[in-house]
PDB file of all heavy atoms in Angstrom:
ATOM      1  N   LYS I 324     -22.793  -1.953   3.334  1.00 98.00           N
ATOM      2  CA  LYS I 324     -23.528  -1.334   4.435  1.00 98.00           C
ATOM      3  C   LYS I 324     -22.509  -0.842   5.464  1.00 98.00           C
ATOM      4  O   LYS I 324     -21.464  -1.457   5.663  1.00 98.00           O
ATOM      5  CB  LYS I 324     -24.480  -2.346   5.076  1.00 98.00           C
ATOM      6  CG  LYS I 324     -25.461  -2.957   4.074  1.00 98.00           C
ATOM      7  CD  LYS I 324     -26.745  -2.222   4.037  1.00 98.00           C
ATOM      8  CE  LYS I 324     -27.702  -2.861   5.037  1.00 98.00           C
ATOM      9  NZ  LYS I 324     -28.977  -2.143   5.031  1.00 98.00           N
ATOM     10  N   LYS I 325     -22.873   0.258   6.124  1.00 98.00           N
ATOM     11  CA  LYS I 325     -21.896   0.875   7.022  1.00 98.00           C
ATOM     12  C   LYS I 325     -21.787   0.113   8.351  1.00 98.00           C
ATOM     13  O   LYS I 325     -20.682  -0.170   8.820  1.00 98.00           O
ATOM     14  CB  LYS I 325     -22.316   2.316   7.293  1.00 98.00           C
ATOM     15  CG  LYS I 325     -21.221   3.184   7.893  1.00 98.00           C
ATOM     16  CD  LYS I 325     -21.642   4.636   7.921  1.00 98.00           C
ATOM     17  CE  LYS I 325     -20.535   5.523   8.437  1.00 98.00           C
ATOM     18  NZ  LYS I 325     -20.921   6.929   8.485  1.00 98.00           N
ATOM     19  N   LEU I 326     -22.911  -0.263   8.912  1.00 98.00           N
ATOM     20  CA  LEU I 326     -22.870  -0.874  10.249  1.00 98.00           C
ATOM     21  C   LEU I 326     -22.372  -2.315  10.189  1.00 98.00           C
ATOM     22  O   LEU I 326     -21.389  -2.673  10.834  1.00 98.00           O
ATOM     23  CB  LEU I 326     -24.258  -0.803  10.907  1.00 98.00           C
ATOM     24  CG  LEU I 326     -24.321  -1.376  12.321  1.00 98.00           C
ATOM     25  CD1 LEU I 326     -23.445  -0.562  13.276  1.00 98.00           C
ATOM     26  CD2 LEU I 326     -25.757  -1.427  12.835  1.00 98.00           C
ATOM     27  N   ASP I 327     -23.050  -3.148   9.380  1.00 98.00           N
ATOM     28  CA  ASP I 327     -22.709  -4.580   9.429  1.00 98.00           C
ATOM     29  C   ASP I 327     -21.835  -5.035   8.257  1.00 98.00           C
ATOM     30  O   ASP I 327     -21.528  -6.219   8.127  1.00 98.00           O
ATOM     31  CB  ASP I 327     -23.965  -5.442   9.540  1.00 98.00           C
ATOM     32  CG  ASP I 327     -24.869  -5.311   8.319  1.00 98.00           C
ATOM     33  OD1 ASP I 327     -24.424  -4.743   7.302  1.00 98.00           O
ATOM     34  OD2 ASP I 327     -26.022  -5.775   8.382  1.00 98.00           O
ATOM     35  N   ASN I 328     -21.443  -4.083   7.348  1.00 98.00           N
ATOM     36  CA  ASN I 328     -20.422  -4.385   6.339  1.00 98.00           C
ATOM     37  C   ASN I 328     -20.924  -5.304   5.212  1.00 98.00           C
ATOM     38  O   ASN I 328     -20.133  -5.782   4.402  1.00 98.00           O
ATOM     39  CB  ASN I 328     -19.219  -5.022   7.071  1.00 98.00           C
ATOM     40  CG  ASN I 328     -17.946  -4.975   6.268  1.00 98.00           C
ATOM     41  OD1 ASN I 328     -17.804  -4.149   5.377  1.00 98.00           O
ATOM     42  ND2 ASN I 328     -17.028  -5.871   6.572  1.00 98.00           N
ATOM     43  N   VAL I 329     -22.235  -5.558   5.172  1.00 98.00           N
ATOM     44  CA  VAL I 329     -22.769  -6.461   4.139  1.00 98.00           C
ATOM     45  C   VAL I 329     -22.662  -5.791   2.767  1.00 98.00           C
ATOM     46  O   VAL I 329     -22.913  -4.584   2.617  1.00 98.00           O
ATOM     47  CB  VAL I 329     -24.244  -6.826   4.465  1.00 98.00           C
ATOM     48  CG1 VAL I 329     -24.897  -7.538   3.291  1.00 98.00           C
ATOM     49  CG2 VAL I 329     -24.296  -7.688   5.718  1.00 98.00           C
ATOM     50  N   GLU I 330     -22.281  -6.581   1.749  1.00 98.00           N
ATOM     51  CA  GLU I 330     -22.076  -6.061   0.394  1.00 98.00           C
ATOM     52  C   GLU I 330     -23.419  -5.730  -0.263  1.00 98.00           C
ATOM     53  O   GLU I 330     -24.373  -6.506  -0.133  1.00 98.00           O
ATOM     54  CB  GLU I 330     -21.373  -7.161  -0.410  1.00 98.00           C
ATOM     55  CG  GLU I 330     -20.341  -6.623  -1.343  1.00 98.00           C
ATOM     56  CD  GLU I 330     -19.557  -7.720  -2.040  1.00 98.00           C
ATOM     57  OE1 GLU I 330     -19.346  -8.787  -1.448  1.00 98.00           O
ATOM     58  OE2 GLU I 330     -19.185  -7.482  -3.195  1.00 98.00           O
ATOM     59  N   LEU I 331     -23.487  -4.612  -0.983  1.00 98.00           N
ATOM     60  CA  LEU I 331     -24.708  -4.260  -1.714  1.00 98.00           C
ATOM     61  C   LEU I 331     -24.625  -4.834  -3.128  1.00 98.00           C
ATOM     62  O   LEU I 331     -23.531  -5.058  -3.650  1.00 98.00           O
ATOM     63  CB  LEU I 331     -24.858  -2.740  -1.800  1.00 98.00           C
ATOM     64  CG  LEU I 331     -24.926  -1.977  -0.476  1.00 98.00           C
ATOM     65  CD1 LEU I 331     -25.000  -0.479  -0.730  1.00 98.00           C
ATOM     66  CD2 LEU I 331     -26.139  -2.431   0.333  1.00 98.00           C
ATOM     67  N   LYS I 332     -25.793  -5.041  -3.721  1.00 98.00           N
ATOM     68  CA  LYS I 332     -25.838  -5.540  -5.101  1.00 98.00           C
ATOM     69  C   LYS I 332     -25.311  -4.459  -6.045  1.00 98.00           C
ATOM     70  O   LYS I 332     -25.601  -3.272  -5.849  1.00 98.00           O
ATOM     71  CB  LYS I 332     -27.299  -5.859  -5.436  1.00 98.00           C
ATOM     72  CG  LYS I 332     -27.482  -6.989  -6.383  1.00 98.00           C
ATOM     73  CD  LYS I 332     -28.947  -7.453  -6.366  1.00 98.00           C
ATOM     74  CE  LYS I 332     -29.309  -7.992  -7.709  1.00 98.00           C
ATOM     75  NZ  LYS I 332     -29.830  -7.056  -8.668  1.00 98.00           N
ATOM     76  N   ASP I 333     -24.542  -4.854  -7.065  1.00 96.00           N
ATOM     77  CA  ASP I 333     -24.009  -3.864  -8.011  1.00 96.00           C
ATOM     78  C   ASP I 333     -25.129  -3.242  -8.837  1.00 96.00           C
ATOM     79  O   ASP I 333     -26.048  -3.944  -9.253  1.00 96.00           O
ATOM     80  CB  ASP I 333     -23.035  -4.541  -8.993  1.00 96.00           C
ATOM     81  CG  ASP I 333     -21.666  -4.721  -8.375  1.00 96.00           C
ATOM     82  OD1 ASP I 333     -21.421  -4.118  -7.321  1.00 96.00           O
ATOM     83  OD2 ASP I 333     -20.856  -5.470  -8.954  1.00 96.00           O
ATOM     84  N   PRO I 334     -25.037  -1.931  -9.143  1.00 97.00           N
ATOM     85  CA  PRO I 334     -25.986  -1.319 -10.082  1.00 97.00           C
ATOM     86  C   PRO I 334     -25.793  -1.931 -11.475  1.00 97.00           C
ATOM     87  O   PRO I 334     -24.762  -2.558 -11.741  1.00 97.00           O
ATOM     88  CB  PRO I 334     -25.573   0.157 -10.083  1.00 97.00           C
ATOM     89  CG  PRO I 334     -24.689   0.336  -8.894  1.00 97.00           C
ATOM     90  CD  PRO I 334     -24.054  -0.988  -8.618  1.00 97.00           C
ATOM     91  N   ALA I 335     -26.765  -1.720 -12.360  1.00 97.00           N
ATOM     92  CA  ALA I 335     -26.670  -2.283 -13.718  1.00 97.00           C
ATOM     93  C   ALA I 335     -25.435  -1.733 -14.429  1.00 97.00           C
ATOM     94  O   ALA I 335     -24.989  -0.610 -14.144  1.00 97.00           O
ATOM     95  CB  ALA I 335     -27.924  -1.904 -14.504  1.00 97.00           C
ATOM     96  N   GLU I 336     -24.885  -2.538 -15.355  1.00 95.00           N
ATOM     97  CA  GLU I 336     -23.723  -2.140 -16.169  1.00 95.00           C
ATOM     98  C   GLU I 336     -24.036  -0.789 -16.842  1.00 95.00           C
ATOM     99  O   GLU I 336     -25.141  -0.579 -17.335  1.00 95.00           O
ATOM    100  CB  GLU I 336     -23.501  -3.252 -17.208  1.00 95.00           C
ATOM    101  CG  GLU I 336     -22.322  -3.109 -18.128  1.00 95.00           C
ATOM    102  CD  GLU I 336     -20.968  -3.351 -17.442  1.00 95.00           C
ATOM    103  OE1 GLU I 336     -20.926  -4.052 -16.421  1.00 95.00           O
ATOM    104  OE2 GLU I 336     -19.978  -2.801 -17.957  1.00 95.00           O
TER     105      GLU I 336
END
Side-chain angles (χ1 to χ4, degrees):
K324 303 266 269 179
K325 196 171 183 181
L326 182 64
D327 63 12
N328 199 22
V329 169
E330 219 175 328
L331 301 177
K332 212 165 150 271
D333 279 347
E336 183 72 24

